């Protein structure tokens, strides 16, 4: 009887450990979502991340202002570990949703760097003005 209980408890412990080991992140880095909030600049490109999970972007080289971007170049965003997902809302194609997924490689109070699926790195500096 004691052997059966020991066997059952041992088996339950192994299953419990396997379940929680399977749920732990493998090698993804964890970044602080709060650091992402704000305006970021890379050359003439800008991205703004709002605490609501929404944002907007623009390129001054294309003669687009921030005010125009707030209205028409919007996206929603999430940051799960090191995966930054932006869902762009395309006004030109009847509100089509265009997902873009990046791997964040650096996120500090002043630097945001992420890589796209093609291995291209995008690095931004936080605008503090």
């Amino acid at each position: 009887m004691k052997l059966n209980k020991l066997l059952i408890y041992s088996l339950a412990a192994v299953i419990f450990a396997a379940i929680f080991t399977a749920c732990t992140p493998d090698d993804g880095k964890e970044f602080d979502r709060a650091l992402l909030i704000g305006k970021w600049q890379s050359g003439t490109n800008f991205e703004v991340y709002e605490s609501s999970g929404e944002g907007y972007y623009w390129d001054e080289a294309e003669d687009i202002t921030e005010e125009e971007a707030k209205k028409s170049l919007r996206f929603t965003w999430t940051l799960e570990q090191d995966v930054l997902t932006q869902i762009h809302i395309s006004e030109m194609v009847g509100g089509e949703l265009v997902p873009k997924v990046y791997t964040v490689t650096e996120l500090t109070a002043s630097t945001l760097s992420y890589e796209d699926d093609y291995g291209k790195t995008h690095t931004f500096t936080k605008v503090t003005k």
Side-chain angles (χ1 to χ4, degrees), residues 1-11:
M1 183 72 164
K2 286 184 179 184
L3 184 58
N4 286 342
K5 280 187 177 181
L6 180 61
L7 183 60
I8 291 172
Y9 288 135
S10 297
L11 185 58

Side-chain angles (χ1 to χ4, degrees), residues 11-21:
L11 185 58
V14 169
I15 292 171
F16 187 74
I19 289 171
F20 281 97
T21 302

Side-chain angles (χ1 to χ4, degrees), residues 4-111:
N4 286 342
K5 280 187 177 181
L6 180 61
L7 183 60
I8 291 172
Y9 288 135
S10 297
L11 185 58
V14 169
I15 292 171
F16 187 74
I19 289 171
F20 281 97
T21 302
C23 294
T24 57
D26 45 11
D27 59 351
K29 295 179 181 176
E30 189 76 32
F31 290 99
D32 183 359
R33 180 184 188 276
L35 291 173
L36 191 56
I37 309 302
K39 183 192 291 188
W40 298 88
Q41 179 178 9
S42 178
T44 60
N45 291 302
F46 291 85
E47 292 182 353
V48 174
Y49 295 86
E50 299 169 335
S51 61
S52 64
E54 296 180 358
Y56 54 95
Y57 65 99
W58 74 99
D59 184 348
E60 288 184 341
E62 294 179 2
D63 200 28
I64 298 172
T65 66
E66 183 173 2
E67 288 305 312
E68 292 170 319
K70 284 181 184 180
K71 296 175 187 169
S72 61
L73 298 173
R74 308 236 6 121
F75 61 86
T76 60
W77 65 270
T78 59
L79 179 61
E80 301 290 332
Q81 290 185 304
D82 62 348
V83 178
L84 173 62
T85 304
Q86 297 175 346
I87 308 292
H88 292 255
I89 304 151
S90 177
E91 301 255 337
M92 297 178 73
V93 192
E96 178 183 349
L97 303 178
V98 181
K100 296 184 179 186
V101 180
Y102 303 103
T103 301
V104 176
T105 55
E106 181 179 4
L107 177 57
T108 66
S110 60
T111 302

